């Protein structure tokens, strides 16, 4: 198993590298740029990443096998918190202020679809169920709110959304196990952020 991360340089650009379990590094093969929030597709070929362009920090995908890059957004908003659908056909991300959740169908016409309509705070995609039906989201009710909640959004549109966890604490950085039975997340219930 490997981990991909970004390393800062003195000029504000980063080189993306693979890191194995022993700490060994191997370049991903992309030129240095201002990168953030990398996410690998389920098949391991596409790297979704935020990369600064002439428009601002936009959403890109890079094929690691073919070396091809595709830009999906072209505005001044920063696109972050990327989550892949289980089949790799769709990519979910956060953008805007207040933050909302969007989806882009990579195999279709590349149209970006807004899935939430928050007017305060923000929603950040965290993980998706193995069947691809539900997206788990961290909800930040408002910029002055203490808690962050976990919300389940029905991507079929039949059941809307519901709270899985609504507390006065911060719950964030959601990740479902591959079989969908366990949810890992960060919380500050103990007084410090813990998993």
């Amino acid at each position: 198993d490997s981990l991909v991360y970004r390393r800062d340089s003195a000029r504000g650009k980063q080189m993306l590298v693979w890191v194995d379990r022993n700490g060994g590094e191997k370049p991903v093969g992309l030129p240095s740029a201002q990168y953030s929030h990398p996410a690998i597709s389920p098949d391991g070929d596409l790297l979704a990443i935020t990369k600064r362009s002439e428009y601002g920090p936009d959403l890109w995908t890079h094929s690691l096998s073919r070396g091809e890059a595709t830009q999906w957004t072209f505005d001044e908003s920063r696109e972050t918190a990327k989550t892949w659908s289980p089949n790799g056909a769709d990519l979910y991300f956060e953008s805007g202020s207040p933050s909302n959740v969007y989806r882009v169908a990579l195999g279709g016409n590349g149209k970006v679809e807004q899935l939430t309509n928050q007017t305060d705070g923000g929603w950040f995609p965290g993980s998706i169920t193995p069947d691809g039906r539900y997206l788990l989201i961290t909800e930040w009710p408002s910029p002055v709110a203490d808690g962050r909640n976990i919300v389940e959004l029905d991507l079929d549109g039949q059941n809307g959304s519901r709270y899985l966890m609504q507390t006065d604490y911060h719950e964030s950085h959601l990740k479902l196990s591959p079989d969908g039975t366990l949810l890992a997340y960060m919380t500050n219930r103990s007084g410090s952020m813990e998993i």
Side-chain angles (χ1 to χ4, degrees):
D1 293 337
S2 298
L3 169 74
V4 63
Y5 75 99
R6 67 182 179 92
R7 181 171 54 189
D8 287 342
S9 70
R11 295 186 302 275
K13 293 186 177 182
Q14 297 88 30
M15 290 294 297
L16 292 171
V17 297
W18 294 105
V19 181
D20 63 30
R21 290 186 181 272
N22 298 318
E25 296 183 7
K26 177 183 171 185
V28 170
L30 300 178
S32 63
Q34 292 184 10
Y35 296 115
S36 65
H37 302 87
I40 299 289
S41 62
D43 66 2
D45 182 52
L46 286 178
L47 171 63
I49 198 152
T50 300
K51 182 171 75 170
R52 181 166 289 282
S53 69
E54 61 182 295
Y55 304 100
D58 285 306
L59 175 65
W60 291 71
T61 54
H62 294 266
S63 170
L64 300 175
S65 63
R66 299 184 305 275
E68 299 171 355
T70 304
Q71 185 175 355
W72 297 97
T73 60
F74 301 85
D75 56 33
E76 295 180 0
S77 297
R78 183 180 186 193
E79 285 74 38
T80 65
K82 298 160 209 55
T83 301
W84 288 92
S85 63
N87 63 5
D90 297 320
L91 187 58
Y92 299 87
F93 61 95
E94 168 272 330
S95 182
S97 180
S99 298
N100 277 285
V101 177
Y102 296 79
R103 170 174 52 200
V104 59
L106 304 186
N109 59 9
K111 178 183 176 185
V112 175
E113 174 187 9
Q114 184 172 341
L115 300 181
T116 63
N117 189 22
Q118 295 304 105
T119 58
D120 199 8
W123 281 28
F124 306 88
S127 201
I128 195 165
T129 55
D131 61 5
R133 178 163 182 188
Y134 295 99
L135 180 65
L136 302 186
I137 294 169
T138 296
E139 177 206 44
W140 187 13
S142 78
V144 296
D146 288 331
R148 293 185 184 172
N149 307 307
I150 299 177
V151 176
E152 179 184 77
L153 177 66
D154 184 353
L155 295 172
D156 287 347
Q158 297 178 15
N159 298 317
S161 63
R162 69 182 180 102
Y163 286 104
L164 293 183
M165 194 175 296
Q166 188 175 19
T167 72
D168 292 330
Y169 302 102
H170 289 281
E171 278 85 25
S172 63
H173 298 83
L174 318 173
K175 192 66 176 177
L176 273 171
S177 60
D179 64 2
T181 61
L182 294 173
L183 176 64
Y185 60 94
M186 291 182 65
T187 180
N188 65 349
R189 287 172 184 259
S190 68
S192 60
M193 292 302 289
E194 296 179 335
I195 296 175

